[in-house]
Amino acid sequence: PPEVALAAINGSSGRSWATLQRIPDNVLSRKFDYNFSLELLNKDVQTCMDGVFVDPDPAKAGFPLLTLGAERVATAFEKLGGDADHTEIVKLSEAETGTILDR
């Protein structure tokens, strides 16, 4: 169950605001109500990407995980819409795996 995984993560150095608050309160509850839109997250991520990548080919910059994260946010923005809460990004993984994260 997700709570067991979160307890293990939160009992270690993996603990973060996301694992302590956002996942339990906004994802597992299925409320998705943190009130920060995918539109704003996508804008912020793109601003970051524009600042990090001077080279037009992101793969050459040596930040493949940053690139993957930005692609994931852009995909969520396209599929879920800008008004969706940023915590709804989990729905992409849920659709891909056929597993719903809830209590």
Side-chain angles (χ1 to χ4, degrees), residues 5-83:
L6 284 174
I9 292 167
N10 290 334
S12 71
S13 62
R15 180 180 57 224
S16 71
W17 180 249
T19 62
L20 289 169
Q21 193 275 330
R22 288 190 191 171
I23 293 172
D25 294 353
N26 304 112
V27 175
L28 298 182
S29 70
R30 310 306 290 173
K31 291 179 183 177
F32 302 110
D33 61 351
Y34 193 77
N35 295 318
F36 186 71
S37 70
L38 272 174
E39 180 176 19
L40 291 175
L41 178 62
N42 190 56
K43 179 189 70 70
D44 289 352
V45 168
Q46 290 308 312
T47 298
C48 171
M49 297 299 284
D50 291 344
V52 169
F53 296 116
V54 176
D55 187 325
D57 181 1
K60 292 181 183 174
F63 295 99
L65 293 178
L66 187 59
T67 300
L68 288 172
E71 290 170 356
R72 193 69 164 172
V73 170
T75 299
F77 177 71
E78 291 169 14
K79 289 187 174 192
L80 302 173
D83 290 335

